[in-house]
């Protein structure tokens, strides 16, 4: 048998272990995994030269089309994701229209025409009347993951509609009955944050730490506790997105021990940046905010002990920030292209994070959490042939020339993707996207 692609002489790393050898691919799927000698002949053979072959990164958290045209964001940002070793990305889309189905179909068709990698969706619920329609949304779109926001006051810079506890409770009761359903909650106490923001504005402060001081860690911890309580009452699976506080993983672990389905996501920026970093200015505004070193260390403990479930970049490409008024500036930064190098540098090289644990965090667990396993997130026979070949010793400097705000500019990182494979097709080599791959991505959230 001749296959389409073979990668040999690799250090193959999965969430459950590693071995020296390679993989064989036919028609976009893995057909053999093992020793080099057992792999069949192929139309293209790649010698990995001992480098690390990992499952492609599954990034479950991005926001596209907030300011730029959606099709433009998909084309530029999904290409950047592929360069960073991401082969699957899930987009949180803000459903403001009454006709959610037309909105979804528009988004999906534009992504199918422009994405080089596979993709899927979560719905951001922004209308009270959509809560009762969530079972219908699942049936008509296949999307089973719904996000609700706290922390955003009325008239916030990006127009998000904050949830109420009533919204959450009503939604949880419905989602608990949906097979594979999950609620994702942005946890910050809206009322306290709004009050403290007003107080902080009156001081005239415009520094990055002022924003953090206006949204202290206890606001996030309080809302996490409240959401876990409601999840217990309803039996609804709960995802704590972009967790920035060290107590988040602790509370999730306690909930899991009590039999609740509660998981924590954190982001590379919370693991590598603090609100006190002297080289950052107010353009590094993110929600929840960057915190101090103590909160960061709590998140790293969760990275090692298993209480952090997975990573997400929360990638959002806003227009260039003006840096004039932190209180009116939109929050967010880009991260697609840097997640893997950041985690290799700060996790693997500096802290000794096992590569198997990194694969668990950035591929296996997000795939499992959002119903994509084992098609995505692993290297196994029958799985999609999504890989990233990593050079652990390559040293490069972060240079960002695209959309949005990068908060890692100029950093030297050790460990970079050298090759990205999506469903058996090499779409990135040496940092360059194959333009022919544009439009090759498939939508993964579809009706049953």
């Amino acid at each position: 048998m001749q296959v389409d692609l073979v990668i040999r002489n690799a250090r193959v790393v999965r969430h459950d272990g590693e071995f020296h050898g390679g993989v064989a691919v036919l028609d976009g799927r893995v057909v053999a995994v093992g020793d080099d000698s057992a792999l069949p002949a192929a139309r293209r053979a790649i010698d990995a030269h001992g480098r690390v072959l990992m499952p492609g990164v599954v990034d479950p958290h991005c926001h596209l089309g907030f300011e730029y045209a959606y099709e433009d964001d998909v084309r530029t940002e999904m290409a950047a994701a592929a360069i960073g070793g991401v082969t699957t990305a899930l987009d949180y889309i803000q459903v403001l229209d009454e006709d959610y189905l037309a909105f979804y179909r528009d988004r999906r068709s534009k992504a199918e025409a422009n994405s080089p990698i596979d993709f899927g969706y979560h719905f951001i619920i922004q209308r009270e009347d959509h809560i009762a329609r969530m079972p219908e949304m699942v049936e008509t779109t296949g999307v089973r993951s719904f996000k609700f926001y706290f922390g955003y006051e009325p008239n916030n810079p990006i127009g998000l509609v904050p949830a109420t506890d009533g919204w959450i409770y009503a939604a949880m009761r419905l989602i608990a009955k949906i097979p594979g359903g999950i609620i994702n909650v942005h946890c910050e106490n809206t009322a306290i944050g709004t009050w403290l923001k007003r107080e902080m504005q009156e001081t005239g402060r415009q520094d990055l730490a002022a924003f953090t001081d206006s949204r202290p860690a206890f606001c996030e911890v309080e809302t996490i506790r409240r959401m876990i309580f409601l999840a217990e009452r309803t039996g609804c699976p709960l995802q704590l997105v972009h967790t920035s506080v060290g107590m988040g993983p602790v509370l999730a672990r306690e909930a899991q021990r009590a039999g609740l389905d509660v998981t924590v996501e954190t982001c590379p920026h919370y693991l590598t940046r603090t609100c006190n970093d002297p080289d950052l200015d107010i353009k590094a505004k993110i929600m929840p905010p960057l915190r101090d070193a103590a909160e960061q260390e709590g998140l790293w403990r969760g990275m090692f002990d298993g209480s952090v479930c997975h990573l997400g970049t929360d990638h959002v490409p806003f227009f260039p920030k003006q840096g004039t008024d932190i209180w009116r500036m939109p929050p967010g930064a880009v991260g697609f292209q840097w997640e893997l190098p950041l985690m290799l540098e700060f996790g693997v090289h500096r802290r000794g994070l096992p590569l198997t644990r990194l694969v668990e965090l950035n591929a296996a667990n997000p795939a499992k959490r959002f119903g994509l396993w084992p098609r995505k997130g692993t290297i196994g026979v029958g799985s999609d042939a999504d890989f990233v070949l990593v050079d652990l010793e390559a040293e490069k400097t972060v240079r960002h020339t695209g959309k949005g705000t990068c908060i890692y500019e100029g950093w030297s990182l050790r460990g970079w993707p050298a090759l990205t494979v999506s469903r058996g097709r090499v779409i990135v080599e040496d940092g360059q996207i194959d333009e022919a791959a544009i439009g090759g991505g498939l939508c993964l959230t579809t009706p049953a």
Side-chain angles (χ1 to χ4, degrees):
M1 176 182 72
Q2 186 180 52
V3 297
D4 299 323
L5 174 69
V6 162
I7 301 177
R8 293 189 172 90
N9 190 23
R11 180 184 172 187
V12 181
V13 179
R14 305 188 300 195
H15 72 289
D16 56 355
E18 62 176 83
F19 64 92
H20 185 87
V23 296
V25 178
L26 181 66
D27 296 330
R29 297 288 181 104
V30 176
V31 294
V33 178
D35 292 338
D36 290 336
S37 60
L39 299 176
R43 281 177 279 277
R44 180 176 181 185
I46 295 173
D47 187 340
H49 299 289
R51 291 174 292 183
V52 171
L53 187 69
M54 305 164 65
V57 174
V58 177
D59 188 341
H61 195 153
C62 68
H63 300 272
L64 305 181
F66 253 102
E67 291 187 330
Y68 295 94
Y70 189 70
E71 57 268 36
D72 185 47
D73 262 2
V74 170
R75 179 177 287 264
T76 60
E77 304 313 286
M78 294 300 203
I83 292 169
V86 178
T87 54
T88 301
L90 303 181
D91 187 11
Y92 283 95
I93 52 177
Q94 184 182 12
V95 189
L96 292 167
D97 300 344
E98 181 180 359
D99 187 350
Y100 73 86
L101 186 56
F103 173 82
Y104 166 80
R105 286 173 173 166
D106 176 73
R107 286 291 196 258
R108 177 179 168 181
S109 65
K110 288 174 178 175
E112 287 173 332
N114 289 281
S115 180
I117 61 173
D118 291 352
F119 61 92
Y121 293 106
H122 319 269
F123 282 147
I124 301 174
I125 298 298
Q126 297 281 265
R127 298 171 58 101
E128 187 170 310
D129 60 306
H130 277 167
I131 294 173
R133 300 179 70 185
M134 289 191 300
E136 174 192 326
M137 292 179 175
V138 172
E139 183 178 353
T140 55
T141 70
V143 176
R144 300 170 183 271
S145 175
F146 302 90
K147 185 177 183 181
F148 292 79
Y149 280 88
F150 290 106
Y152 282 85
E153 74 283 0
N155 302 314
N156 60 79
I158 55 177
L160 284 168
V161 180
T164 66
D165 284 3
W167 282 27
I168 297 293
Y169 181 62
M172 281 186 172
R173 289 190 301 176
L174 289 172
I175 295 170
K177 300 174 183 177
I178 296 171
I182 185 169
I183 192 168
N184 306 259
V185 183
H186 176 130
C187 291
E188 290 184 281
N189 187 295
T190 309
I192 295 175
T194 301
W195 189 277
L196 293 179
K197 173 185 173 181
R198 189 161 56 241
E199 289 185 344
M200 189 61 66
Q201 284 179 296
E202 291 173 356
T203 71
R205 285 179 60 186
Q206 280 284 338
D207 55 296
L208 183 62
F211 184 67
T212 299
D213 291 344
S214 76
R215 319 181 71 82
F218 79 83
C219 286
E220 189 172 342
V221 173
E222 183 277 338
T223 306
I224 289 172
R225 290 183 185 274
R226 202 166 78 247
M227 294 304 102
I228 290 175
F229 175 79
L230 293 176
E232 181 179 23
R233 297 290 298 177
T234 60
C236 181
L238 170 63
Q239 169 78 356
L240 303 169
V241 294
H242 49 48
T243 303
S244 71
V245 293
M247 274 300 293
V250 174
L251 293 171
R253 176 59 61 85
E254 290 176 357
Q256 291 162 9
R257 288 172 177 163
L260 305 183
D261 186 356
V262 177
T263 51
V264 163
E265 167 196 88
T266 194
C267 308
H269 43 267
Y270 298 126
L271 295 164
T272 62
R273 281 299 205 175
T274 76
C275 61
N276 301 310
D277 289 354
D279 62 318
L280 292 180
D281 60 19
I282 63 174
K283 294 179 184 178
K285 174 184 175 181
I286 294 168
M287 286 183 66
L290 296 176
R291 305 218 179 264
D292 61 23
E295 299 295 345
Q296 188 178 88
E297 287 303 310
L299 293 174
W300 274 112
R301 284 193 291 274
M303 291 279 285
F304 277 86
D305 69 17
S307 54
V308 169
C309 176
H310 65 249
L311 294 165
T313 59
D314 199 5
H315 177 99
V316 54
F318 284 125
F319 293 152
K321 296 183 182 182
Q322 298 304 308
T324 54
D325 182 359
I326 194 170
W327 308 110
R328 294 303 305 167
M329 184 189 307
V334 292
F336 269 156
Q337 204 164 333
W338 323 121
E339 177 194 315
L340 187 51
L342 285 166
M343 291 302 96
L344 292 170
E345 172 68 39
F346 285 87
V348 175
H349 289 308
R350 296 194 187 187
R351 292 176 179 262
L353 185 74
L355 283 170
T356 49
R357 174 64 177 144
L358 179 57
V359 169
E360 186 177 31
L361 286 158
N362 73 6
N365 281 358
K368 292 176 181 179
R369 192 56 168 149
F370 294 106
L372 304 177
W373 178 271
R375 178 179 178 182
K376 304 293 186 183
T378 189
I379 299 175
V381 174
S383 298
D384 281 358
D386 294 348
F387 318 128
V388 56
L389 185 64
V390 171
D391 187 338
L392 286 179
E393 301 306 318
E395 293 191 39
K396 298 181 183 179
T397 300
V398 173
R399 293 284 181 249
H400 178 60
T401 58
K403 299 172 181 174
T405 299
C406 173
I407 60 174
Y408 316 109
E409 184 69 31
W411 277 12
S412 179
L413 304 176
R414 183 159 60 109
W416 288 79
L419 190 83
T420 304
V421 178
S422 174
R423 281 184 286 108
R425 178 177 181 175
V426 177
I427 61 170
V428 176
E429 287 188 81
D430 299 321
Q432 297 297 314
I433 186 80
D434 178 3
E435 292 295 328
I438 300 299
L442 298 179
C443 183
L444 302 171
T445 45
T446 58

